[in-house]
Amino acid sequence: MKITIKYFGVIAEEAGKTEEVLELDSDDIDVEFLKDHCFSKYSLSDTKSIQVAVNQNMGASGPLQDGDEVAFLPPFSGG
Amino acid sequence: MPKKIFIQGAIPPEKISDSIAKHQSKTEIGGHSIFLGQIRADEVDGKAVTAIEYTAYEEMAEKEIDKIREEAFEKFDLTCAHIYHSLGKIQAGELCFFVFTSSAHRKAAREANQFLVDEIKERVPIFGKEIFEDETHQWKVNR
């Protein structure tokens, strides 16, 4: 399945990119697996503070569907 | 369709006076409340912040602000509410956040304004990079 991943703020800086599309052989991928995969791939420093949004919904967990958009978000600092 | 929130670059002070002027035809309004966020030249380890560069998860941020706006209309007796936030590099002293609420009476305008500012800071995926005078940077954390 195909998953679009978006990176923001300090995470984008550490990953060296703001977006990528992952083609995965398995159809049995969940948010937790993807987190571990990306966090270790880019050796992200402060993984505890990272929040995940799936298709722009915060706090998502569990299995992912083909075509999902997953965003890794550092602490918000607008305003 | 969410309302347009983001402005590329600083919010010009003229935008505030234009917004006020546009409300003069709405004579049921008795009070406005305005919050303006300005870039502060914080000092960290002897270095001054000269600018903040803002990025956002724009589609999600616009939806979330729309949701917060709807919550404000449910909670408070508002006539209208307008919200603008900058993206890109904003210099110290320039405006980056503009929240404008209007109501028949002052209390609702004020309380709704505070609600919007606080909720947006907490719930909306906007990210600020503080840039120092020597070109180094750190990622801003809201307090």
Side-chain angles (χ1 to χ4, degrees), chain B residues 87-142:
Chain B
L87 291 179
K89 197 169 169 183
I90 318 302
Q91 303 296 327
E94 291 185 322
L95 300 174
C96 59
F97 189 27
F98 174 24
V99 178
F100 185 7
T101 48
S102 310
S103 174
H105 302 284
R106 68 188 183 284
K107 192 162 181 260
R110 276 191 196 145
E111 288 178 355
N113 196 288
Q114 187 171 4
F115 171 82
L116 288 168
V117 170
D118 292 350
E119 295 295 311
I120 288 167
K121 277 183 171 264
E122 192 177 320
R123 289 165 49 188
V124 179
I126 300 171
F127 312 98
K129 183 164 95 172
E130 294 175 318
I131 299 164
F132 296 105
E133 48 205 341
D134 64 356
E135 304 285 304
T136 58
H137 69 266
Q138 73 174 17
W139 290 89
K140 181 174 176 256
V141 180
N142 273 353

